Amino acid sequence: MQRYFVHEPFNELNELTITGENARHISKVMRMESGEEIILVHADTAFICEIVSIGQDVIVKQTGKTIPSPEMPIKVDIACGLPKGDKLELITQKSTELGMNALIPFSAERSIVKWDEKKGEKKTERLQKIAQEAAEQSHRTRIPTIMNPVSFKQLLTLVSQYDVVFIADEEDAKKETRTRFADKLKKVYDNESKSILLIFGPEGGISRNEAKSLLQAGAETMSLGPRILRAETAPLYALAAISYEFE
């Protein structure tokens, strides 16, 4: 069944009128008819609904059935230094599929890309749309929030809002003796932490000054194995590891 996210609540008859792009997709692209069923996601709940009528707008009614949520039992946000090219789009799409709760791009010391403030709002809107499409495709009940880029100083102020904060530091990967990420996640699981922030650098990685500041703010390093991962690969590796441990 096709899945659509809606912001409007159902009325007292458990009916909802779908308008705009979703309505056009149902009627023009999917060419659906009255009596067919779709999934509407509202307030983190997936409702199975029957199409009552189709015109310029689409009216649907709840069938009384819902679908269990596939969301992670903990909130995992990703902060990544602004990377080059379309890597941020890839990170947004794949991280959404893997369960990310929010994406926080930040201007890192080694970021080559500079965020254009004039075009920034449109870029964020595009990333948000990519996140919504990925959430629909992966049958999620929540669309990750894509934040506008923040400065490194602003990122530091966010650290205290999380139960655990991990930094992907390539210097840690070079050590002969490393604390395995799986071991650190086991401790998080045992402590029933509810929120995790994962911080990744851009192509050049986290600088020594940034790593020092983050550690002083309460973050800790995570080892993602002995190999140095690309900026767009590391978040996916970490999310997969968290999914394995918690789900």
Side-chain angles (χ1 to χ4, degrees), residues 126-232:
R126 173 167 171 73
L127 292 175
Q128 191 66 67
K129 185 174 182 180
I130 289 173
Q132 177 172 331
E133 291 172 349
E136 291 172 347
Q137 184 275 325
S138 56
H139 289 194
R140 291 190 57 178
T141 55
R142 184 180 307 149
I143 303 172
T145 301
I146 310 300
M147 295 179 59
N148 287 317
V150 300
S151 66
F152 180 73
K153 288 184 178 180
Q154 290 173 315
L155 178 64
L156 279 177
T157 65
L158 299 177
V159 170
S160 62
Q161 299 178 14
Y162 295 85
D163 295 317
V164 184
V165 177
F166 290 118
I167 315 165
D169 189 353
E170 65 180 43
E171 295 302 319
D172 189 76
K174 297 175 183 177
K175 297 178 181 178
E176 291 187 10
T177 303
R178 300 180 306 277
T179 301
R180 298 172 63 246
F181 189 37
D183 294 335
K184 290 196 174 184
L185 286 179
K186 185 64 168 59
K187 295 178 181 178
V188 172
Y189 185 84
D190 291 343
N191 292 333
E192 296 185 353
S193 296
K194 300 300 181 184
S195 62
I196 297 176
L197 176 63
L198 307 176
I199 302 177
F200 305 89
E203 288 80 4
I206 294 287
S207 73
R208 295 303 86 211
N209 289 333
E210 289 170 333
K212 181 179 180 181
S213 297
L214 287 167
L215 291 173
Q216 289 176 343
E220 56 183 292
T221 58
M222 60 177 170
S223 174
L224 302 181
R227 293 165 295 281
I228 305 300
L229 304 178
R230 289 177 179 270
E232 67 272 30

Side-chain angles (χ1 to χ4, degrees), residues 23-202:
R24 288 192 295 274
H25 189 270
I26 291 169
S27 61
K28 303 297 183 183
V29 179
M30 300 306 299
R31 298 185 180 277
M32 302 187 77
E33 300 178 351
S34 298
E36 293 189 72
E37 293 184 343
I38 60 175
I39 300 170
L40 290 189
V41 182
H42 175 70
D44 295 349
T45 302
F47 299 92
I48 297 178
C49 300
E50 179 182 339
I51 297 176
V52 176
S53 66
I54 293 183
Q56 184 175 350
D57 297 334
V58 178
I59 299 176
V60 301
K61 184 173 184 177
Q62 291 183 26
T63 63
K65 295 179 288 185
T66 59
I67 297 176
S69 174
E71 297 298 330
M72 279 195 184
I74 56 171
K75 181 178 75 173
V76 183
D77 292 355
I78 290 178
C80 60
L82 289 172
K84 296 185 293 184
D86 59 358
K87 293 178 181 178
L88 202 55
E89 294 184 5
L90 176 65
I91 293 170
T92 299
Q93 182 188 62
K94 300 307 178 186
S95 295
T96 296
E97 293 178 22
L98 290 167
M100 172 183 72
N101 177 74
L103 178 67
I104 310 170
F106 69 95
S107 298
E109 187 175 321
R110 294 175 178 170
S111 288
I112 297 175
V113 173
K114 302 301 178 184
W115 193 262
D116 188 336
E117 295 294 339
K118 294 181 180 179
K119 300 179 181 179
E121 187 174 338
K122 289 186 176 180
K123 287 184 178 180
T124 301
E125 289 177 358
R126 173 167 171 73
L127 292 175
Q128 191 66 67
K129 185 174 182 180
I130 289 173
Q132 177 172 331
E133 291 172 349
E136 291 172 347
Q137 184 275 325
S138 56
H139 289 194
R140 291 190 57 178
T141 55
R142 184 180 307 149
I143 303 172
T145 301
I146 310 300
M147 295 179 59
N148 287 317
V150 300
S151 66
F152 180 73
K153 288 184 178 180
Q154 290 173 315
L155 178 64
L156 279 177
T157 65
L158 299 177
V159 170
S160 62
Q161 299 178 14
Y162 295 85
D163 295 317
V164 184
V165 177
F166 290 118
I167 315 165
D169 189 353
E170 65 180 43
E171 295 302 319
D172 189 76
K174 297 175 183 177
K175 297 178 181 178
E176 291 187 10
T177 303
R178 300 180 306 277
T179 301
R180 298 172 63 246
F181 189 37
D183 294 335
K184 290 196 174 184
L185 286 179
K186 185 64 168 59
K187 295 178 181 178
V188 172
Y189 185 84
D190 291 343
N191 292 333
E192 296 185 353
S193 296
K194 300 300 181 184
S195 62
I196 297 176
L197 176 63
L198 307 176
I199 302 177
F200 305 89

